[in-house]
Amino acid sequence: IKLMKNSSKKKFPGKNNKDYKINSDFGYHKKNTNRSEKNERFLNNSVKNKNIENLNKNHKNNNFSSLNRRKPIFKSNTEFSNKNPDIHQEYTSKRNFDDWIWGKHSVYEALSSERAINRIWCTSEIFSSDKFYILFKDLKSKGVLIEEVSWNRLSQLTYGASHQGVALQLASSKTISLEQLIVFSKHNCANPIILALDGLTDPHNVGAIIRSAEAFDCKGIIIPQRRSAGLTGTVAKVAAGALEHLHVSRVVNLNRALEELKKNGFLVVGLSGDGQLSISNFLEKAPLVVIVGSEDKGISLLTQKKCDFLLSIPLKGKTSSLNASVAAAISLFHLTSK
């Protein structure tokens, strides 16, 4: 046992070994008793200390040192739940929920009273339930957008409210069927004009177009069920009262609606920057459906194939395109002044 202890001391020198000293940089080294070497080490250490002091001074004066940079602060996402009503109230105040209704009983009463509905979100359990299935099926055929979403997604939309699996957004105006719009437009008018919106998702543009359409005596507006802004409060506000005097039909499929309009004697005209015919040279006199495309992509390719004419607005400046609502207003002015 004694031999093993001695051999371990030789192989692994420790702090108590007199022949070795600790160096914080390089571990254990043999002790040097030479005084001249001690003096050299002392001088070298003093020089090192001065260099370190100079570096520290420069570091303090350097405002752009990486050590002085503040670490970025990342805020975690706030979770909304019914357990914290204060958070729910704070975030719902930032979003306008005046036209929203949620909860099984509240939604059912709103649907039974035949109020104007813009959109419905519900879980698959609510959609397939005996209480709501027939109501939802009837509303869907009338153009109301109904989305089946998860419980968590509905909680995100309502910021953690007690939604019970269903919520809806009221519309600012009631819509009519396409058949009713066709009959109304032809009543006491030989060449009526109807606007159709293809993929306009900005409510401000939709509101502005409704305002222009009513001002130029359009007989109605067609809005597709999907990829389009509904008749929300923002649309009604931008329309500045015009929505109360203009019929709106919300259709499930825009292309099928255009085919129905063609069967009833309407010419389908699309507004496009690539149109070969200038709107100032368009002289056809017939019931018209004027299609306004989306803000970024314009009229979809499938809808363009349904058009009898693609009209362009001649531009004289360097600007290559116009806002959708501005293009609609200019086109209606040309078409109604002839």
Side-chain angles (χ1 to χ4, degrees):
I1 296 171
K2 289 182 180 179
L3 289 173
M4 289 177 66
K5 286 184 177 180
N6 291 333
S7 63
S8 65
K9 287 182 180 179
K10 288 179 183 178
K11 290 181 181 179
F12 306 102
K15 296 181 182 179
N16 296 327
N17 195 326
K18 293 180 181 180
D19 294 334
Y20 292 86
K21 77 177 195 71
I22 297 175
N23 188 299
S24 60
D25 295 327
F26 305 101
Y28 294 96
H29 292 275
K30 192 169 183 179
K31 191 173 181 180
N32 193 341
T33 56
N34 193 331
R35 288 185 180 180
S36 62
E37 290 184 5
K38 282 184 179 180
N39 292 335
E40 287 179 7
R41 193 184 302 115
F42 176 78
L43 291 172
N44 289 334
N45 289 336
S46 63
V47 172
K48 286 181 181 179
N49 291 334
K50 287 182 180 179
N51 291 333
I52 291 171
E53 287 177 5
N54 291 331
L55 287 172
N56 289 333
K57 287 180 181 179
N58 292 332
H59 169 72
K60 289 179 180 179
N61 294 329
N62 188 0
N63 293 328
F64 300 96
S65 173
S66 61
L67 295 175
N68 285 337
R69 291 176 187 169
R70 293 184 178 180
K71 293 181 179 180
I73 300 172
F74 297 96
K75 295 182 180 180
S76 60
N77 293 330
T78 307
E79 294 183 357
F80 305 105
S81 64
N82 296 330
K83 295 179 181 179
N84 197 336
D86 295 333
I87 293 177
H88 169 67
Q89 188 173 6
E90 177 185 352
Y91 281 86
T92 51
S93 62
K94 294 181 181 179
R95 180 174 178 175
N96 185 11
F97 281 101
D98 293 341
D99 55 354
W100 281 58
I101 297 174
W102 51 68
K104 292 180 182 178
H105 300 293
S106 301
V107 169
Y108 185 79
E109 290 299 323
L111 298 179
S112 301
S113 62
E114 297 183 355
R115 298 182 68 177
I117 308 298
N118 178 50
R119 198 169 181 176
I120 297 174
W121 297 266
C122 66
T123 60
S124 56
E125 292 81 7
I126 294 293
F127 184 83
S128 59
S129 64
D130 296 335
K131 187 175 183 178
F132 288 97
Y133 180 75
I134 296 175
L135 286 172
F136 285 166
K137 190 176 180 181
D138 183 51
L139 288 169
K140 198 170 184 179
S141 65
K142 294 179 179 178
V144 177
L145 180 58
I146 301 175
E147 287 191 68
E148 290 186 45
V149 295
S150 65
W151 188 280
N152 291 336
R153 176 57 181 158
L154 197 50
S155 297
Q156 290 177 353
L157 291 170
T158 58
Y159 288 106
S162 181
H163 52 75
Q164 297 178 320
V166 63
L168 63 80
Q169 185 183 30
L170 296 171
S172 298
S173 177
K174 285 188 176 183
T175 58
I176 62 174
S177 66
L178 182 63
E179 292 77 13
Q180 290 175 325
L181 179 60
I182 292 172
V183 172
F184 171 80
S185 63
K186 288 188 172 183
H187 182 67
N188 295 332
C189 185
N191 299 317
I193 295 178
I194 295 175
L195 273 184
L197 308 185
D198 182 23
L200 278 163
T201 57
D202 186 354
H204 293 86
N205 273 340
V206 174
I209 289 172
I210 289 173
R211 188 174 183 177
S212 299
E214 201 281 328
F216 289 107
D217 197 28
C218 280
K219 300 305 177 183
I221 286 188
I222 298 172
I223 299 176
Q225 187 185 73
R226 293 185 178 273
R227 298 184 302 105
S228 177
L231 302 180
T232 61
T234 303
V235 171
K237 185 176 180 180
V238 176
L243 193 57
E244 303 297 325
H245 309 287
L246 191 69
H247 291 289
V248 179
S249 177
R250 200 167 188 188
V251 297
V252 177
N253 188 291
L254 180 60
N255 293 325
R256 284 204 298 264
L258 294 177
E259 291 176 0
E260 187 65 27
L261 287 161
K262 282 187 173 185
K263 290 177 183 178
N264 285 272
F266 281 83
L267 284 178
V268 179
V269 174
L271 302 180
S272 174
D274 300 326
Q276 299 299 318
L277 180 62
S278 172
I279 194 168
S280 57
N281 297 327
F282 180 73
L283 302 175
E284 297 289 335
K285 291 185 178 180
L288 295 179
V289 180
V290 181
I291 304 175
V292 182
S294 63
E295 296 87 351
D296 52 349
K297 297 180 180 179
I299 302 174
S300 64
L301 293 175
L302 287 175
T303 307
Q304 285 185 30
K305 292 179 180 179
K306 300 290 182 182
C307 294
D308 299 309
F309 298 93
L310 285 176
L311 305 181
S312 62
I313 299 174
L315 303 176
K316 298 180 180 180
K318 293 183 179 180
T319 302
S320 59
S321 62
L322 295 172
N323 178 271
S325 61
V326 175
I330 294 172
S331 302
L332 290 175
F333 171 75
H334 276 278
L335 295 172
T336 55
S337 61
K338 296 175 181 179

